[in-house]
Amino acid sequence: MRKLLVTGGAGFIGGNFVHHWCREHDADRVIVLDALTYAGNRATLATLIAEQRIEFVHGDITDTPLLDRLFREHAIDTVVHFAAESHVDRSIVDPGAFVRTNVVGTQTLLDAALKAWRVDGLWRENVRFHHVSTDEVYGTLAPNDPPFSEATPFAPNSPYSASKAGADHLVRAYVHTYGMPATISNCSNNYGPYHFPEKLIPLIIVNALHGRPLPVYGDGRQIRDWLFVEDHCIAIEQILSADVAGQTFNVGGRAEHVNIDIVRRLCELLDARFASDATLAARFVECPAARGIACDSLITYVKDRPGHDRRYAIDPTLIATTLGFEPRETLTTGLARTVDWYLTNEPWWRSVMDGSYRDWISSQYQRTLT
Ligand code: NAD
Ligand code: TYD
């Protein structure tokens, strides 16, 4: 039986991971530590909390006494570290928050694990620290560049990716210096259920349902490698289950697409759902599809993000050959599942669109339209 500490478990990927782990590992104990920033939502874990399947701790990864107590009281043997400030656009406005959580927070968590797991220079058996990171640490690619491999040098371009690169270096240094049994995954863009509607895919769905403009930055030809979130959870599970301490794995979706293609596909999916389900027009009266008008009529090209990375792409060879990992969802099936999830889970996304969300979105519109 494993005892997991999942940081950031009320966020998008962390929340999906906690649901996945509880389904697949019935006997394990799961402690979720989350500061419930604007991006963290207790609602994501409500059923598991109510069933007492997990223990939810509202707290910060920079709080050393709290971390020491959690390691001691729960005899934690596995850390899965998702907690982070994760939105590039916000990192351009407020880099300090990113350094505090992503860099200082990761170092504080590493120290707590070191203190709990290493006694008289020897590591406890069967412990693992898994750090969840991003492909953005590698910087940007030109159209014909080979995809990022684990050996690609770091060249982060945004305050977000720079802070994640700092965290990755710290984890690597704890492996090298102290022999910490840690692993890292550098993953491409995730999408799926419980995704906060400030990121491209959920923002497009929610804006289309409200009949609001669908903002496409610059020329919309930037490329991302899209991975359905459940596939990412499976990749992390495989890394945790294998004897690979000290290793880094890149995780991708084998799904490179330009942004405008993603936006158009989402519009087509919404149009098709409204055409086949008359109840949607009554629920989402502001959506153009409710009046038989195509959602892509809302597409609006806006001012580009400063320093916008042009292309990310992952070479998934290492994780495929070492662990046999392959994504199960294609972009077509994954986007369809995502649109259906947002159509059937309106209370969840309405509950996260509070005053601070509305302030952020309107400040973005001011920035992009001027
Ligand atoms: P998210 O923003 O949805 O969730 C982050 C969670 O961390 C939130 O629940 C938030 O409350 C919590 N948190 C923030 N600061 C905290 C602190 N100081 N202490 C405790 N909890 C805190 O992010 P996400 O998209 O789920 O990303 C999870 C991880 O995966 C991040 O480390 C991110 O860098 C990485 N990642 C994300 C993507 C992606 O496409 N979303 C891709 C690659 C890697
Ligand atoms: P995002 O979801 O913010 O993820 P990341 O910046 O980490 O890749 O953005 C994905 C892509 O979509 C990125 O190229 C920026 C672009 N984008 C838009 O065109 N419009 C938007 O409103 C947002 C949020 C993103």
Side-chain angles (χ1 to χ4, degrees):
M1 178 185 124
R2 268 178 130 141
K3 290 160 213 129
L4 283 82
L5 177 65
V6 181
T7 72
F12 163 47
I13 308 176
N16 278 282
F17 178 83
V18 170
H19 280 285
H20 175 84
W21 198 272
C22 289
R23 268 195 312 273
E24 300 296 321
H25 305 268
D26 216 14
D28 288 358
R29 271 186 66 67
V30 178
I31 317 298
V32 172
L33 172 63
D34 198 296
L36 295 179
T37 68
Y38 78 92
N41 295 291
R42 212 188 272 265
T44 298
L45 301 173
T47 49
L48 297 172
I49 296 171
E51 291 160 5
Q52 299 186 334
R53 177 63 192 86
I54 62 169
E55 180 161 335
F56 182 80
V57 181
H58 182 192
D60 201 296
I61 55 165
T62 59
D63 182 345
T64 297
L66 172 63
L67 293 177
D68 290 345
R69 181 171 68 72
L70 293 177
F71 273 94
R72 201 176 49 246
E73 282 183 4
H74 298 284
I76 299 297
D77 53 34
T78 305
V79 172
V80 193
H81 176 33
F82 295 95
E85 290 292 340
S86 70
H87 190 32
V88 173
D89 290 324
R90 287 186 191 251
S91 81
I92 294 166
V93 178
D94 180 17
F98 286 70
V99 173
R100 194 186 77 82
T101 287
N102 300 1
V103 182
V104 178
T106 300
Q107 176 257 322
T108 310
L109 189 61
L110 284 163
D111 274 347
L114 182 70
K115 210 186 301 173
W117 291 344
R118 198 174 68 150
V119 180
D120 297 332
L122 292 178
W123 286 89
R124 255 180 62 191
E125 277 189 24
N126 301 322
V127 294
R128 175 72 68 83
F129 186 111
H130 183 73
H131 172 60
V132 181
S133 190
T134 167
D135 59 357
E136 303 191 27
V137 298
Y138 300 119
T140 187
L141 294 168
N144 295 319
D145 285 346
F148 304 130
S149 81
E150 289 76 2
T152 303
F154 281 18
N157 286 322
S158 71
Y160 163 65
S161 54
S163 67
K164 291 298 290 186
D168 292 20
H169 283 314
L170 282 164
V171 176
R172 187 184 169 282
Y174 276 61
V175 171
H176 188 77
T177 305
Y178 308 110
M180 177 170 271
T183 39
I184 301 176
S185 49
N186 291 90
C187 187
S188 60
N189 285 62
N190 283 220
Y191 66 101
Y194 302 113
H195 205 179
F196 192 75
E198 65 180 351
K199 306 280 172 66
L200 180 69
I201 287 178
L203 180 87
I204 295 299
I205 297 170
V206 165
N207 275 16
L209 291 175
H210 285 97
R212 294 196 201 117
L214 309 181
V216 174
Y217 295 172
D219 65 1
R221 308 294 306 169
Q222 303 84 2
I223 295 174
R224 300 292 183 262
D225 178 356
W226 294 96
L227 178 71
F228 191 68
V229 63
E230 177 77 15
D231 280 323
H232 186 190
C233 297
I234 292 169
I236 295 172
E237 181 180 37
Q238 291 188 356
I239 295 169
L240 286 172
S241 310
D243 185 14
V244 289
Q247 285 213 43
T248 291
F249 293 94
N250 284 355
V251 188
R254 297 193 192 271
E256 275 188 62
H257 292 271
V258 292
N259 289 341
I260 188 64
D261 181 27
I262 299 292
V263 173
R264 289 196 188 285
R265 279 170 176 246
L266 290 169
C267 289
E268 282 164 18
L269 278 164
L270 285 168
D271 294 344
R273 294 297 184 270
F274 274 74
S276 65
D277 178 353
T279 65
L280 291 176
R283 280 174 58 206
F284 302 106
V285 289
E286 294 150 315
C287 182
R291 300 183 300 283
I293 300 169
C295 286
D296 67 7
S297 59
L298 297 171
I299 291 176
T300 309
Y301 287 89
V302 299
K303 199 165 138 194
D304 208 351
R305 171 188 281 171
H308 199 169
D309 284 339
R310 195 69 184 164
R311 174 179 167 234
Y312 303 139
I314 288 275
D315 174 355
T317 308
L318 184 68
I319 193 161
T321 53
T322 318
L323 304 180
F325 171 77
E326 285 296 337
R328 297 176 188 185
E329 297 293 342
T330 63
L331 187 75
T332 303
T333 59
L335 286 184
R337 280 183 67 179
T338 304
V339 165
D340 289 337
W341 190 87
Y342 279 84
L343 289 175
T344 47
N345 289 276
E346 190 185 345
W348 180 88
W349 53 264
R350 288 218 182 274
S351 76
V352 306
M353 291 166 61
D354 59 7
S356 97
Y357 173 81
R358 281 191 293 276
D359 288 349
W360 167 254
I361 293 295
S362 66
S363 74
Q364 280 300 93
Y365 287 139
Q366 294 305 324
R367 181 189 73 75
T368 54
L369 295 174
T370 51

